[in-house]
Amino acid sequence: MDYIDPHIHMVSRITDDYETLARMGCVAVSEPAFWAGFDRGSVDGFRDYFRQLTEVEPRRAATYGIQLYCWLCINAKEAENVSLSRDVIAMIPEFLDHPNVLGIGEIGLNKNTRNESIIFLEHLELAIKYNQSILIHTPHLEDKFQGTQMTLDMLCDDSRINRSRVLVDHVEEHTIGAVLDRGFWAGMTLYPVSKCTPERAADMVEIYGAERLMANSAGDWGPSKPTAVPDLIFELRRRGHNESLIRKLVYDNPIEFFSQSDNFRFQPRNVDHTVDHTVEAPKALPS
Amino acid sequence: MNQRHASTVLDESFLSVRAKILEIGAALDRVDRALEDGPPLDEDLRIRRDKIDDAIRLLLSERPDRAERIQLLFSRKYAPGWRTDMAIDS
Ligand SMILES: [Zn+2]
């Protein structure tokens, strides 16, 4: 089945992973800006990173027939440095017209601090000013519930936010309901250690349905499995779910959400690719 | 949405559930053996050890929202007035 991974950090993956994803049916990915494994020291460090996301990584992906889109921001881990964050936010508009940029992300909280909240709100201002979609990171483990609630408060307190253009990622059993109830999109991140297994993700699909729900692999610097979305497809099939439901979750939904971004020009795989309809087929095989 | 019978679901999950319960039992035994010959748990780990007991009690409840409640048990508390507390304008 063709699928889209809406949240995967390919800058931290080797080229072989692109090949594996392609073999698994991955036709497009979206890569949010995130922490690069170390704290960057200057706005130029981020400028180079954004060039990697907008110029280098799409080419690497295209080699394997994968369309790579991205999101730009300074992530929560580095947002404790408020002055650097403001410089990065001021620089982001340089890249917003690039043909593979879908919006602002992954913004959000990490340890749920005041500085993280301030920078999150300033990212919202940027998204509103430039009419961008928003992709949101929610914290992990014991910080997730509190951080998700705080994030939803900040989003819902701002009447200018169009909730159908906001994806809240890394939802789990205790946060998915609040995200979907308030009209946002939700992403389940399948992760071997700290987040969610394909089995638990399949449970959430059964409980909440596939409306405004997506699944991703994160595929980052930590122990992660870039082919986690096919694992979920496999689990849902094993449980006997309809192909149409699975396809909605891993293909139609990402396309519907991303299509709200002006730069999203996804080319579906041409299923008739190998058949030339202009040539009439022979009536019978030569004997 | 899920049309499968409970017997099917339990049958396919049984061995993995059994294995995970065994892991929990063995891990708690390991802690107890270390306590027999060594110092008691640090205060913050005593609190975490108690949380494990609380989580096990949640497993024994009857409602089909155990995973959600276990998640909440291991979560920091959320205070709706946080924006005022942190002096962040809305
Ligand atoms: Zn991420």
Side-chain angles (χ1 to χ4, degrees):
Chain A
M1 175 181 284
D2 286 358
Y3 79 92
I4 295 171
D5 192 329
H7 187 142
I8 184 165
H9 299 290
M10 294 309 293
V11 297
S12 63
R13 310 308 308 188
I14 56 171
T15 301
D16 290 359
D17 287 339
Y18 275 116
E19 181 175 349
T20 306
L21 291 178
R23 286 178 191 275
M24 289 283 196
C26 181
V27 290
V29 297
S30 98
E31 169 150 13
F34 81 140
W35 187 67
F38 64 99
D39 287 355
R40 283 154 287 202
S42 69
V43 69
D44 276 336
F46 280 88
R47 189 178 273 113
D48 284 344
Y49 174 50
F50 295 161
R51 283 186 47 226
Q52 188 179 12
L53 291 177
T54 55
E55 296 170 21
V56 179
E57 222 45 59
R59 282 203 298 271
R60 206 158 72 105
T63 314
Y64 296 94
I66 294 172
Q67 297 162 63
L68 186 142
Y69 292 91
C70 71
W71 305 75
L72 304 176
C73 75
I74 176 166
N75 65 92
K77 250 182 154 83
E78 286 161 285
E80 273 304 318
N81 186 339
V82 172
S83 71
L84 175 63
S85 299
R86 287 183 171 147
D87 289 345
V88 173
I89 289 171
M91 180 268 290
I92 287 173
E94 289 175 27
F95 290 87
L96 290 178
D97 290 332
H98 200 282
N100 79 327
V101 175
L102 296 183
I104 303 302
E106 56 183 302
I107 57 172
L109 305 178
N110 183 48
K111 293 291 168 195
N112 312 336
T113 66
R114 181 169 192 271
N115 281 349
E116 290 169 7
S117 305
I118 289 169
I119 295 304
F120 177 80
L121 289 167
E122 293 185 13
H123 274 113
L124 293 188
E125 289 298 331
L126 177 72
I128 291 163
K129 182 173 176 192
Y130 289 91
N131 191 29
Q132 298 290 308
S133 291
I134 298 169
L135 192 153
I136 291 178
H137 162 95
T138 53
H140 306 310
L141 301 173
E142 71 269 22
D143 299 313
K144 182 179 297 292
F145 176 72
Q146 183 190 63
T148 304
Q149 293 293 328
M150 290 168 67
T151 301
L152 294 177
D153 285 346
M154 287 186 278
L155 291 165
C156 294
D157 285 349
D158 193 330
S159 60
R160 298 168 301 166
I161 298 282
N162 175 354
R163 299 185 190 185
S164 65
R165 291 192 66 187
V166 179
L167 166 60
V168 180
D169 256 325
H170 318 321
V171 298
E172 292 184 2
E173 290 89 345
H174 54 323
T175 57
I176 182 174
V179 170
L180 291 174
D181 281 353
R182 294 186 209 185
F184 300 100
W185 289 78
M188 303 177 291
T189 298
L190 306 159
Y191 217 61
V193 187
S194 59
K195 298 182 189 113
C196 181
T197 59
E199 291 79 10
R200 282 170 46 216
D203 293 338
M204 285 189 264
V205 175
E206 289 174 350
I207 293 167
Y208 291 94
E211 206 55 53
R212 280 183 286 112
L213 188 60
M214 298 182 224
N216 66 72
S217 70
D220 55 27
W221 298 103
S224 50
K225 191 176 178 196
T227 55
V229 176
D231 291 348
L232 175 61
I233 294 172
F234 184 77
E235 174 65 14
L236 288 166
R237 277 193 185 136
R238 199 186 62 75
R239 297 187 187 190
H241 288 293
N242 286 338
E243 290 296 297
S244 61
L245 172 100
I246 301 171
R247 185 187 150 97
K248 179 174 174 60
L249 187 71
V250 303
Y251 188 82
D252 298 339
N253 279 354
I255 290 174
E256 184 182 341
F257 177 70
F258 295 159
S259 292
Q260 301 174 94
S261 301
D262 290 340
N263 290 331
F264 187 66
R265 294 194 179 85
F266 175 67
Q267 294 291 319
R269 202 199 295 270
N270 184 353
V271 289
D272 297 328
H273 186 217
T274 54
V275 181
D276 184 354
H277 291 293
T278 60
V279 178
E280 202 177 323
K283 293 277 184 291
L285 289 170
S287 52
Chain B
M1 180 184 282
N2 189 358
Q3 305 296 318
R4 294 182 310 154
H5 293 170
S7 296
T8 310
V9 176
L10 180 60
D11 189 40
E12 74 184 22
S13 310
F14 183 80
L15 278 178
S16 92
V17 169
R18 176 184 183 278
K20 285 169 188 163
I21 290 173
L22 264 175
E23 286 296 328
I24 294 167
L28 297 180
D29 288 350
R30 222 172 288 138
V31 173
D32 285 349
R33 286 203 306 278
L35 283 171
E36 279 169 18
D37 308 315
L41 288 168
D42 296 341
E43 179 56 22
D44 59 324
L45 285 158
R46 178 73 241 164
I47 291 166
R48 283 160 79 181
R49 177 65 186 81
D50 289 344
K51 286 233 159 151
I52 292 174
D53 282 349
D54 293 342
I56 290 169
R57 274 188 282 278
L58 283 178
L59 289 177
L60 294 173
S61 65
E62 301 287 330
R63 286 171 18 211
D65 59 355
R66 297 176 189 83
E68 181 179 351
R69 285 191 291 147
I70 289 168
Q71 290 270 29
L72 289 171
L73 174 73
F74 287 112
S75 296
R76 283 168 67 192
K77 297 288 166 274
Y78 156 73
W82 69 272
R83 282 187 88 144
T84 315
D85 300 341
M86 283 191 189
I88 291 176
D89 302 334
S90 50

